[in-house]
Amino acid sequence: MDRRQFLKYVGGATMVGAHAGLGPTALSAWGADSSGYKALVCVFLFGGLDNHDFLLPYDASAYDEFARLRQTLLRVQGSSRAREALLPLIPANAASGDARWALPPEMPMLRSLFERGSAALVANVGPLIEPVTAQSFFDDSARLPPRLFSHNDQQAIWQSSAPEGALYGWGGLFADAFTAEGASTNGGAFSTISTVGSGPFLTGRRAFPYQVSDGGAAEVYLLGELDDFDARLPEGLKTHLSGSAFNSDYLIRRDMGNALSKAFSTNDAYNAARGDGFTFSSEFPASELGSQLRTVAETIAIRDALGVQRQVFFVGMGGFDTHSAQAQALPLLLGQLDGAVGAFNVAMNELGVDQQVTLFTASDFGRTLAVNGDGTDHGWGGHQFVVGGAVAGTQLLGSVPPPGYGHDLDSGGGRLIPTISVEQYAEALGRWFGLTDGELLNALPALQNFNRSELGLFSS
């Protein structure tokens, strides 16, 4: 192992739990009562989910127009996108009892959750600074989010209301509201947890993301590799890196030693709480997202041992940048998403926390209705779904423009102008999570530019 690899592994160790400074003895500081426990689970779909192939028109005339505009993709998808193969949705809040929209056949679990009242769809959500129409978009009179249609920047804006380089995300700022200033207890180390790296979403002014491995306990991989050479090396190196026998006149060296020491103690606390893991009666699918959501479920199962009352999780799934081969790739991705979310919902019911855990989706952006040959290009507004026992389910919230071009929400090629801002979507989640008006505005400053009426996403 060369020096560069060594520094990479050690640097990773400092990121795991180093910020909160929680040792094993501090876990009981909040107590074991989880009656007030709540968790938000963000499933981020990296690349930009095609909203037009996630929520499809079911009204016969609208479907025919959709099929005409999307014929090159539908020809490859064949019978799976025939109108009779779709899964029609009849929202409880629909003006009539007719199904105007449908899910693709790869998502039967989401349709079942929707029908049972445990899932809702939120239409045409996306980054906004203020309300925008096609006219204000094309005449440049509207303030627009910076760097529209850029993957990195729109991911960052979704997570933090600012382009790439943002320091804080609204998930972390939500967690801040439940972490006392300067506290090293109250489960602070485990208030924001990621399975896919440390983007801005989970970083607050006090909260800092703790990263866990898919389906496994937290560890420093360098130590595991050294165990293959000599069983004595891992513990010796851990003692050295943790700074337990370290002293220095140099501030940076002391800080590094303290950070490593906190990282190891936090990992030890997590592993002690996790033990041998948790066995669920139902299986999670053997997919990347299935593994991540199983890890989240296992972490929620040990919430009392971790001493947490509020948690925000961030998991992710890639592959949605379907510029080409969309007809082959997207149905597989939607099936994986559906299976993993369905299994997670079953696990939350088994744990008895279905009412206390809300899962929601987010993505870079939607995509164009126009086909570029065998795929679609970057869009703006997209459709999301929210799952949980507290959700006011069987609802399609917001409005879905009819398939076509040139309407008042078309910014070109069927690229939808959002009608619900990320802030309005996040406000509904944050209010359920327990934030006050002031705390919501602190986490979502652009919220003041929009109608503050509730989305009606949760049961009263």
Side-chain angles (χ1 to χ4, degrees):
M1 177 177 293
D2 62 26
R3 178 176 178 273
R4 180 173 296 176
Q5 287 177 300
F6 179 83
L7 291 174
K8 173 185 174 184
Y9 283 120
V10 173
T14 66
M15 293 298 291
V16 182
H19 187 74
L22 179 65
T25 58
L27 289 176
S28 62
W30 196 319
D33 177 18
S34 66
S35 60
Y37 176 81
K38 285 186 177 181
L40 288 168
V41 181
C42 176
V43 178
F44 204 96
L45 308 176
F46 289 96
L49 169 64
D50 179 14
N51 49 292
H52 300 290
D53 205 4
F54 163 62
L55 187 62
L56 299 97
Y58 193 72
D59 174 80
S61 61
Y63 178 84
D64 289 344
E65 178 63 8
F66 172 80
R68 183 184 72 82
L69 297 172
R70 281 264 170 125
Q71 58 184 299
T72 57
L73 288 181
L74 294 179
R75 190 178 301 125
V76 180
Q77 290 171 313
S79 61
S80 72
R81 288 299 181 273
R83 181 172 177 268
E84 57 269 20
L86 303 181
L87 305 176
L89 301 172
I90 304 178
N93 60 336
S96 67
D98 298 330
R100 297 184 56 231
W101 303 98
L103 293 174
E106 301 85 25
M107 307 196 81
M109 292 187 179
L110 179 59
R111 203 271 286 265
S112 176
L113 289 169
F114 183 87
E115 290 182 328
R116 298 199 324 251
S118 295
L121 298 174
V122 186
N124 202 11
V125 187
L128 290 168
I129 296 174
E130 62 185 14
V132 178
T133 64
Q135 180 175 343
S136 64
F137 176 83
F138 287 113
D139 67 16
D140 296 325
S141 63
R143 290 185 296 164
L144 302 177
R147 303 168 196 166
L148 277 175
F149 322 130
S150 155
H151 283 294
N152 291 350
D153 293 296
Q154 297 313 299
Q155 289 169 12
I157 289 173
W158 252 100
Q159 297 178 38
S160 64
S161 302
E164 189 176 19
L167 295 177
Y168 307 116
W170 51 269
L173 294 171
F174 280 11
D176 277 353
F178 300 93
T179 304
E181 185 87 43
S184 62
T185 58
N186 294 355
F190 306 111
S191 62
T192 57
I193 294 182
S194 172
T195 61
V196 289
S198 53
F201 180 69
L202 293 180
T203 302
R205 293 180 176 85
R206 293 186 289 277
F208 194 80
Y210 179 79
Q211 187 165 343
V212 294
S213 305
D214 295 359
E219 63 178 356
V220 178
Y221 296 105
L222 172 62
L223 303 184
E225 289 192 4
L226 289 177
D227 191 49
D228 295 335
F229 296 98
D230 187 327
R232 296 169 298 176
L233 285 174
E235 195 58 38
L237 186 57
K238 181 177 176 179
T239 299
H240 175 72
L241 292 176
S242 69
S244 57
F246 176 76
N247 190 25
S248 174
D249 293 331
Y250 294 97
L251 181 61
I252 293 178
R253 290 181 181 177
R254 292 202 304 272
D255 285 346
M256 188 67 173
N258 289 335
L260 285 164
S261 179
K262 291 173 183 177
F264 284 119
S265 65
T266 305
N267 283 359
D268 288 344
Y270 179 83
N271 292 339
R274 188 178 186 278
D276 295 328
F278 189 92
T279 301
F280 295 98
S281 59
S282 61
E283 289 294 320
F284 279 77
S287 64
E288 179 185 5
L289 184 60
S291 177
Q292 291 180 66
L293 285 178
R294 180 182 179 87
T295 300
V296 172
E298 290 174 340
T299 304
I300 290 173
I302 59 172
R303 60 198 180 278
D304 290 344
L306 294 177
V308 288
Q309 293 258 336
R310 291 291 189 279
Q311 288 184 294
V312 184
F313 294 89
F314 186 79
V315 305
M317 179 180 180
F320 290 93
D321 193 21
T322 50
H323 286 287
S324 61
Q326 176 169 315
Q328 296 89 346
L330 188 57
L332 295 175
L333 293 170
L334 293 174
Q336 291 174 18
L337 174 62
D338 188 67
V341 170
F344 182 77
N345 181 260
V346 170
M348 294 303 97
N349 278 283
E350 184 176 342
L351 291 174
V353 294
D354 179 52
Q355 294 281 336
Q356 298 159 278
V357 178
T358 296
L359 177 149
F360 65 96
T361 58
S363 190
D364 314 18
F365 34 61
R367 304 191 76 82
T368 57
L369 176 62
V371 179
N372 64 18
D374 65 346
T376 56
D377 296 322
H378 298 180
W380 189 356
H383 311 320
Q384 309 300 333
F385 65 83
V386 184
V387 172
V391 173
T394 321
Q395 292 196 93
L396 174 55
L397 301 167
S399 58
V400 189
Y405 307 131
H407 54 73
D408 197 42
L409 294 173
D410 179 21
S411 63
R415 180 186 284 120
L416 299 185
I417 298 171
T419 48
I420 296 174
S421 70
V422 172
E423 283 77 9
Q424 290 170 300
Y425 183 52
E427 179 193 20
L429 296 165
R431 197 171 293 284
W432 171 81
F433 201 53
L435 272 67
T436 65
D437 282 344
E439 290 163 343
L440 285 166
L441 287 170
N442 176 65
L444 305 163
L447 185 59
Q448 61 186 332
N449 300 332
F450 299 95
N451 187 333
R452 296 289 305 281
S453 62
E454 288 290 330
L455 276 181
L457 187 52
F458 292 93
S459 304
S460 56

